């Protein structure tokens, strides 16, 4: 039980960070604080990372990533199916990190701490129980 607060903070940090990236795509951050500012800009960025895919598949991956970057963080924040959400987050961020490394070089994923996020999510995934969560409340 001594790791309950760090675990909660990790769930919240991962969730809020990912939702912030989605908010950026939807233009919810100010121009000075945005990386993309619109879904169209994010689609272009995704094309850059997935240069090896046909354009339609690249566009699909931008929307699929956005969907997962809404779903997984909400699950993490609520503590619902936390293990699944944490593994999904880790894999999603690992895919981003590898794609960024291939397309943009090794510094890009380091600047955005994508490797750290993937690893943190993996560490969360291997926890035995999840404090302050729906999972804990519904545990039989």
């Amino acid at each position: 039980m001594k790791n309950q607060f760090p675990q909660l903070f990790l769930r919240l940090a991962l969730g809020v960070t990912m939702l912030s990236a989605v908010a950026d795509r939807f233009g919810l951050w100010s121009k000075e604080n945005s990386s993309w500012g619109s879904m169209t800009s994010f689609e272009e960025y995704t094309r850059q990372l997935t240069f090896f895919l046909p354009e339609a598949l690249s566009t699909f991956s931008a929307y699929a990533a956005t969907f997962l970057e809404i779903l997984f963080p909400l699950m993490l924040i609520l503590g619902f199916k936390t293990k699944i959400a944490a593994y999904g987050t880790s894999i999603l961020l690992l895919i981003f990190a590898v794609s960024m490394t291939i397309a943009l070089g090794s510094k890009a994923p380091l600047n955005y701490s994508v490797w750290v996020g993937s690893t943190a999510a993996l560490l969360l995934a291997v926890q035995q129980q999840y404090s302050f969560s729906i999972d804990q409340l519904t545990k039989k």
Side-chain angles (χ1 to χ4, degrees), residues 17-62:
T17 300
M18 291 175 73
L19 289 175
S20 175
V22 172
D24 185 341
R25 284 169 224 175
F26 293 153
L28 299 176
W29 287 116
S30 66
K31 195 171 191 170
E32 313 75 65
N33 292 314
S34 291
S35 296
W36 305 292
S38 70
M39 196 61 191
T40 302
S41 294
F42 181 68
E43 287 175 32
E44 291 169 14
Y45 176 71
T46 303
R47 262 187 236 107
Q48 200 179 359
L49 298 184
T50 58
F51 62 89
F52 49 88
L53 295 176
E55 188 173 337
L57 197 51
S58 178
T59 301
F60 172 79
S61 67

Side-chain angles (χ1 to χ4, degrees), residues 46-93:
T46 303
R47 262 187 236 107
Q48 200 179 359
L49 298 184
T50 58
F51 62 89
F52 49 88
L53 295 176
E55 188 173 337
L57 197 51
S58 178
T59 301
F60 172 79
S61 67
Y63 284 90
T66 299
F67 172 77
L68 293 173
E69 280 184 273
I70 294 169
L71 179 65
F72 291 149
L74 291 176
M75 291 171 70
L76 290 174
I77 289 168
L78 296 172
F80 178 71
K81 303 288 185 186
T82 308
K83 190 172 290 291
I84 292 168
Y87 274 121
T89 298
S90 181
I91 292 166
L92 183 63
L93 291 175

Side-chain angles (χ1 to χ4, degrees), residues 88-110:
T89 298
S90 181
I91 292 166
L92 183 63
L93 291 175
L94 179 62
I95 291 167
F96 289 163
V98 170
S99 296
M100 290 172 79
T101 300
I102 292 168
L104 306 174
S106 60
K107 191 168 182 326
L110 295 173

